[in-house]
Amino acid sequence: MVVTTMLNNYLFVIITGWFLMARSSTVLAAIYAKPGCKGECGNITIPFPFGIGSSNCFLDKWFEISCRNSTTPFLEHTQLQVLNISLYDYNNDYRPSEWVQVRSPISFFNCANKTSKKSANLTGSPFYYSSENDFVAVSCGAFAKYETRSGNRLVQDGCTSSSSTCSSSFNSSNNVDFSNCDDGVKCCRTSLDMGDSFKISMDNDSSTTLATNRDNEYCKYAFLIDHSEIDKYKTSHDDDLDYYVPALLSWSLNVTYFDIFKTDVMPTTSSSFDCESYDVITLNSSLNRIYSCRCSKGFRGSAYIQDGCQVIN
C-alpha cells in the first residue's frame, strides 16, 4: 500500500511537471505571436512581425513564414529556411540585436560532385546580411573575394590562404580548423560588411611565387557564416559538409505606428517597451515611422504587438 502510494505520487509529479513545461512553451509562443496566430513551427518560436497563416498574423509579405511539414519554417518570399529568430533582447548581453538565422549556401569551386547555389538577393526587402557574419574560404593558395551591395554602395573584399604550408598531397578533404583561419593557413577568414546582396568568386593567389599549377587542382570553397557558429564547423571534413551553413540576416523596418499598432499615436513613455522612430515630412503632414521596437530590460516578448512585452518570471 505504501509502495503503491509512493509510486502514484511519483507519477503525479512527473505528469504535472511535463504538463507545466508544455504549458510554459505554449504560453511563451503566445506572448510572441499575435492573438489567434500560430506562434511556433516545430521547435522554433515565430515572433511578430513574422507570422504563419493569414495576413493578419505577419506585418507584410516579407515577414510571412510558411511552416513546411509542420516542422520547418521558411521565409515565404525569399524561400530561405529559417533556423532561428530573435527580437531585440536587453536581457541577452551577447547579442541584443534583431536577427534571423537562415541556411546560407556554400560556394564550391573545382570540387567533385558538388555544385554551388547563389546567395539570396535581398534587394527591396527589409533584410540585409549582418556584419555579425564572417567570410571564410578553404583551400591552399586561394584568393577568395566577396561583393556586397547596400543601395548604391558597393563593397568588395576578400582573403587569401597560403600555399607555403601545403604539401603536394594536401587536399581540402583534410580536416581544417576554421578557428585558426585568421593566420591564413589552409583557409582564411575576414569580417563582412552588411549589404542586401552577396556574391562570391575565387582565384588562385598569384601574389606569391609559391603558387603553382597544383593550386588549380585543389577543391576550394567559401561561405558566409554566423560568427557565433563557426566553432561548430571548425574541424569539418569537406565531404561531411552540408551545402549550407547558418548565416545571420538583420532587418530594419520602414513603417508607421499605424501599420503595426493600428493607432497614429504611441505612448511617449512606457515601462515595458520603446521604439526607435524618425519623422518623414511631407507637404501635408509629418509621419512618424519606426525602425524597430524592443521590450525593456526585465521584459520579454514581441514589442510589435499590444501588451506583447511581459515581465520575466
Side-chain angles (χ1 to χ4, degrees):
M1 180 68 178
V2 174
V3 173
T4 301
T5 302
M6 290 178 64
L7 179 60
N8 288 337
N9 289 339
Y10 178 70
L11 291 174
F12 174 78
V13 169
I14 292 177
I15 294 171
T16 303
W18 175 87
F19 172 77
L20 289 175
M21 286 189 293
R23 183 176 182 274
S24 174
S25 175
T26 302
V27 170
L28 180 63
I31 294 173
Y32 284 92
K34 292 186 73 175
C37 298
K38 186 178 179 181
E40 290 180 336
C41 178
N43 61 353
I44 298 175
T45 299
I46 309 298
F48 188 80
F50 299 87
I52 303 169
S54 71
S55 58
N56 178 61
C57 292
F58 47 87
L59 180 61
D60 58 36
K61 65 179 183 180
W62 296 106
F63 293 91
E64 181 181 2
I65 297 288
S66 60
C67 187
R68 301 182 185 177
N69 300 319
S70 301
T71 58
T72 310
F74 280 78
L75 285 169
E76 178 66 22
H77 204 68
T78 61
Q79 291 300 297
L80 288 170
Q81 182 179 335
V82 174
L83 303 177
N84 202 357
I85 302 176
S86 177
L87 302 182
Y88 268 110
D89 189 350
Y90 281 125
N91 308 287
N92 184 346
D93 294 331
Y94 170 68
R95 181 183 283 165
S97 58
E98 294 179 308
W99 47 265
V100 186
Q101 190 184 67
V102 298
R103 293 177 81 221
S104 181
I106 296 174
S107 294
F108 295 97
F109 302 87
N110 195 37
C111 299
N113 302 319
K114 290 191 181 289
T115 57
S116 296
K117 295 184 178 181
K118 294 181 179 179
S119 297
N121 190 329
L122 304 174
T123 303
S125 80
F127 301 106
Y128 54 91
Y129 292 100
S130 170
S131 59
E132 292 187 41
N133 292 303
D134 282 349
F135 176 64
V136 176
V138 179
S139 195
C140 276
F143 178 31
K145 298 175 288 185
Y146 75 81
E147 176 183 301
T148 183
R149 290 182 179 271
S150 181
N152 295 324
R153 178 174 172 267
L154 172 65
V155 175
Q156 294 175 310
D157 201 354
C159 65
T160 303
S161 62
S162 172
S163 291
S164 60
T165 58
C166 296
S167 66
S168 59
S169 62
F170 170 82
N171 67 74
S172 57
S173 293
N174 297 326
N175 286 352
V176 177
D177 188 347
F178 297 161
S179 63
N180 291 329
C181 286
D182 292 338
D183 298 329
V185 177
K186 300 179 184 179
C187 61
C188 62
R189 181 173 71 170
T190 188
S191 57
L192 183 81
D193 281 87
M194 58 188 182
D196 49 28
S197 64
F198 186 77
K199 295 180 181 179
I200 296 176
S201 60
M202 185 81 73
D203 290 325
N204 289 324
D205 178 19
S206 59
S207 63
T208 173
T209 57
L210 294 173
T212 67
N213 289 332
R214 190 176 68 247
D215 295 340
N216 292 318
E217 302 172 1
Y218 292 142
C219 168
K220 301 175 174 68
Y221 51 93
F223 49 88
L224 179 71
I225 186 169
D226 178 352
H227 178 79
S228 70
E229 296 278 350
I230 198 165
D231 283 348
K232 296 180 182 178
Y233 293 83
K234 70 180 183 179
T235 56
S236 293
H237 191 287
D238 80 335
D239 290 337
D240 298 329
L241 274 176
D242 194 359
Y243 282 92
Y244 299 87
V245 290
L248 285 186
L249 306 182
S250 297
W251 76 84
S252 179
L253 300 180
N254 182 21
V255 296
T256 65
Y257 284 139
F258 186 83
D259 293 331
I260 295 180
F261 300 102
K262 307 308 177 187
T263 177
D264 290 323
V265 180
M266 283 292 295
T268 54
T269 59
S270 173
S271 60
S272 63
F273 76 100
D274 65 87
C275 294
E276 290 186 25
S277 61
Y278 62 101
D279 288 330
V280 176
I281 308 299
T282 67
L283 291 175
N284 300 318
S285 63
S286 174
L287 296 176
N288 206 232
R289 304 188 76 83
I290 295 174
Y291 277 131
S292 63
C293 296
R294 66 206 73 184
C295 293
S296 303
K297 195 170 184 65
F299 292 80
R300 187 164 285 158
S302 174
Y304 298 101
I305 57 179
Q306 188 174 0
D307 299 324
C309 296
Q310 302 290 321
V311 175
I312 298 172
N313 187 348

